[in-house]
Amino acid sequence: MTITTRAPGKLFIAGEYAVVDPDHPALLVAVDKFMTVSVTESVDVGRVHSSEYGNLPIEWRRDPETGDVVVDHHPYDYVTRAIDVMERLRDERGIAPRYFNLHIESELDDSHGQKFGLGSSAAVVVATIAAIDTFYDLGLSAMERFKIALLATISVSPRASGGDIAASTFGGWLSYSAPDRAALLTALSTDTIGDVMVGSGWETLRIRSLPAPALSLLVGWTGSPSSTEALVGSVTKASPSDSPDYTAFVAASDRIVTALIEALEAGDPALVQDLVRQARHNLLLLQASSGITIETEKLTFLCDSAEHYGGAAKPSGAGGGDCGIVLADPEMDTAALLEQWRAAGIRPLDLHVYGKEVAA
């Protein structure tokens, strides 16, 4: 029997950078491009098939003495870490171990394997955990799957906020504030997965489903992939969290995202657009204070051209390439805008918000 699960990609609407620290909100949407994971039972060894690994799958086994997952000739990455965490949970629950193969397919990159910046790492972890959950009949709730996906992710990338994981898990429009990942990592090194999921560190986690605005979401890909982890690290080094400029940036980000949540709930699309413009301006201030390029030349063109037609635009996520977003009212001449993008080497992506409001 084959079990197939999938998880959507994401886009940040506002709150980038600030969300990396606990208790600072961001606004995200899930989009209708997916990571798909299929699981089938195996014998003696498990395999992970993915274009990320080239033509041959990677193989994983259990250490005969400790039961830990051991990966042959490949460092731990998000997928193998997700397997490891789920195997720990399976063992804690007294479920007999079985080997399985994973087959991974992505819609979050182009035909040449270049990623669009839609959160493929988060989506593959979410889909992998959902597939293994079904394989072992663990019966995890959506929130439990989210927490396990975050634990697996921060084991590889400790500074990851988890906002993309929330979007891939719950879908739709949502606000998100991160838990204390440093505390969770400390607990993960000594406690069971079950205990970590209900222990301390989660107090600042907030996931809130929000209504969609009466606006169209347009997305343009600049053709230049960027590394969120590297950009966040560079900005943090250039503008430490206790510096006046960064403190002002975070305070403004919190104000903007809080106001965006209120505008969405009030059904005020014009205010949503105004606040997205403020979020772009706030990122430009961070760029100026840190000296790190967040809004590249193509992202500037994408945003300015959208503003010319009446839209509200900004980079999505850490910037430095990847995607820009536009929130457009129904009267906007989107066809003319998209034609300008194409002429400038910006690729419009056929994306829509995925998922309805889900209580979290």
Side-chain angles (χ1 to χ4, degrees):
M1 182 180 72
T2 301
I3 297 164
T4 300
T5 59
R6 65 178 189 170
K10 62 77 188 140
L11 288 165
F12 269 91
I13 302 298
E16 302 93 336
Y17 289 99
V19 73
V20 171
D21 292 317
D23 209 22
H24 293 289
L27 186 66
L28 303 97
V29 294
V31 296
D32 60 347
K33 296 293 182 183
F34 302 90
M35 295 294 296
T36 299
V37 174
S38 298
V39 58
T40 56
E41 189 154 11
S42 182
V43 178
D44 297 331
V45 65
R47 297 177 178 86
V48 182
H49 301 259
S50 170
S51 60
E52 289 287 310
Y53 305 140
N55 294 326
L56 297 176
I58 64 167
E59 296 185 347
W60 63 274
R61 294 174 173 81
R62 295 183 186 88
D63 184 288
E65 295 183 2
T66 66
D68 293 343
V69 169
V70 179
V71 180
D72 286 352
H73 310 301
H74 198 282
Y76 263 12
D77 64 1
Y78 293 104
V79 174
T80 52
R81 190 60 180 143
I83 294 171
D84 187 47
V85 173
M86 287 296 282
E87 283 293 312
R88 282 178 60 181
L89 181 65
R90 185 267 315 153
D91 184 58
E92 291 169 18
R93 296 192 174 185
I95 297 172
R98 295 148 62 196
Y99 278 107
F100 51 85
N101 298 327
L102 297 178
H103 292 258
I104 299 169
E105 296 180 0
S106 175
E107 297 177 352
L108 303 184
D109 47 26
D110 70 4
S111 59
H112 302 292
Q114 284 194 304
K115 298 185 188 320
F116 293 135
L118 300 176
S120 58
S121 297
V124 74
V125 170
V126 170
T128 296
I129 285 167
I132 299 172
D133 174 28
T134 303
F135 180 76
Y136 281 126
D137 195 22
L138 293 169
L140 299 173
S141 68
M143 182 57 76
E144 288 171 328
R145 294 197 307 273
F146 162 80
K147 288 185 174 182
I148 294 169
L150 182 63
L151 294 175
T153 296
I154 62 176
S155 298
V156 179
S157 180
R159 291 280 285 167
S161 72
D164 48 4
I165 298 169
S168 289
T169 301
F170 296 104
W173 286 73
L174 54 83
S175 62
Y176 174 83
S177 298
D180 185 343
R181 282 95 68 220
L184 295 176
L185 276 175
T186 298
L188 192 60
S189 67
T190 58
D191 300 343
T192 66
I193 301 298
D195 285 345
V196 176
M197 286 199 293
V198 298
S200 62
W202 301 102
E203 293 83 359
T204 56
L205 172 67
R206 294 178 183 86
I207 305 173
R208 182 177 177 183
S209 180
L210 297 166
L215 297 164
S216 298
L217 176 65
L218 307 178
V219 184
W221 183 53
T222 63
S224 301
S226 68
S227 167
T228 297
E229 187 174 6
L231 279 165
V232 170
S234 296
V235 168
T236 300
K237 184 176 180 180
S239 297
S241 59
D242 58 352
S243 67
D245 288 337
Y246 192 77
T247 299
F249 164 78
V250 171
S253 178
D254 289 353
R255 175 188 60 78
I256 291 166
V257 175
T258 299
L260 270 166
I261 293 168
E262 294 172 354
L264 287 168
E265 293 183 325
D268 189 340
L271 181 55
V272 169
Q273 287 181 308
D274 180 62
L275 290 162
V276 166
R277 295 183 182 106
Q278 291 182 40
R280 179 194 179 192
H281 178 69
N282 197 37
L283 285 173
L284 287 172
L285 291 177
L286 178 62
Q287 175 174 281
S289 66
S290 67
I292 304 301
T293 300
I294 295 172
E295 188 173 291
T296 63
E297 184 177 339
K298 280 190 177 181
L299 283 172
T300 295
F301 181 87
L302 182 154
C303 295
D304 288 348
S305 59
E307 288 286 347
H308 173 76
Y309 286 97
K314 61 180 287 295
S316 177
D322 282 341
C323 294
I325 58 167
V326 181
L327 292 180
D329 60 46
E331 290 76 34
M332 182 172 150
D333 188 352
T334 57
L337 173 63
L338 299 185
E339 188 57 37
Q340 283 197 5
W341 283 3
R342 294 186 186 97
I346 296 168
R347 176 177 171 181
L349 299 181
D350 184 18
L351 297 174
H352 306 87
V353 177
Y354 174 77
K356 299 183 183 295
E357 298 144 45
V358 179

